[in-house]
Amino acid sequence: MYLQVTNLKKSYGTGEGRQEILKGVNLAIEKGSTASIVGSSGCGKSTLLNCIGGLEVIDDGDIQVGGKSLKGLGKRELGAYRRDSIGYIFQFFNLLPDLNVRDNIRVAERLTDKPMEYGALLDQLGLAGIERKYPNQLSGG
Ligand SMILES: Nc1ncnc2c1ncn2[C@@H]1O[C@H](COP(=O)(O)OP(=O)(O)O)[C@@H](O)[C@H]1O
Ligand SMILES: [Mg+2]
């Protein structure tokens, strides 16, 4: 299994205000497959994704991606994990408003030493033809 989440626990706050959001989540997703995480507002979907994305430190359990555990990774290693091993689109997508589509994509080139096929990527994403537009000229999708 490519992504394996085992007995994941995550709470926010301390003392009286402590709220356990994820109470032992198990999840396994195979490489190349598509999964939807569905649940009522506030049930912890974003919290789960933030944990998998290495943006939140977990309280208990484990997350393994490609056979490697995120447990015990330091700030620097988590940064490398986020840069090299995972892609994440936020609900509020955090595109750079002053850069057009082309330059928003090309920011990634500066962050990685992996080769990037810009033209192929544009086709794959269905963005060919609108590469000069700015985020506020596009639909959210
Ligand atoms: N950074 C945070 N600090 C404290 N509570 C949080 C934080 N992020 C989320 N929560 C709380 O955790 C619960 C789950 O939130 P969230 O994961 O955003 O739910 P969903 O994405 O399913 O709507 C909510 O009660 C929310 O208020
Ligand atoms: Mg959410």
Side-chain angles (χ1 to χ4, degrees):
M1 213 46 74
Y2 188 68
L3 170 67
Q4 187 103 39
V5 175
T6 314
N7 196 28
L8 173 61
K9 294 185 180 162
K10 173 71 190 169
S11 26
Y12 289 117
T14 51
E16 291 280 289
R18 188 180 160 96
Q19 239 194 325
E20 195 172 41
I21 308 299
L22 304 178
K23 302 169 183 162
V25 173
N26 292 291
L27 175 77
I29 301 178
E30 195 49 273
K31 196 165 191 168
S33 66
T34 303
S36 303
I37 296 163
V38 180
S40 53
S41 180
C43 76
K45 304 178 295 295
S46 295
T47 301
L48 173 62
L49 291 179
N50 289 341
C51 291
I52 295 170
L55 297 166
E56 288 282 3
V57 177
I58 68 174
D59 298 340
D60 202 7
D62 196 15
I63 298 170
Q64 292 200 358
V65 180
K68 280 194 215 156
S69 175
L70 299 196
K71 223 166 165 174
L73 293 189
K75 267 191 178 169
R76 197 168 267 277
E77 296 160 306
L78 276 176
Y81 163 73
R82 289 194 297 262
R83 189 189 57 215
D84 299 331
S85 304
I86 198 139
Y88 195 111
I89 300 173
F90 292 91
Q91 190 160 1
F92 301 100
F93 32 75
N94 298 336
L95 291 169
L96 296 166
D98 295 329
L99 298 185
N100 63 24
V101 167
R102 188 189 82 122
D103 294 337
N104 261 288
I105 293 173
R106 291 218 124 137
V107 166
E109 262 180 340
R110 293 172 171 263
L111 301 175
T112 179
D113 47 15
K114 291 180 191 161
M116 198 170 98
E117 294 286 341
Y118 173 72
L121 199 57
L122 214 61
D123 283 339
Q124 204 178 350
L125 296 172
L127 295 172
I130 56 166
E131 53 199 283
R132 302 276 164 201
K133 290 204 172 183
Y134 288 83
N136 70 1
Q137 299 173 300
L138 301 169
S139 75

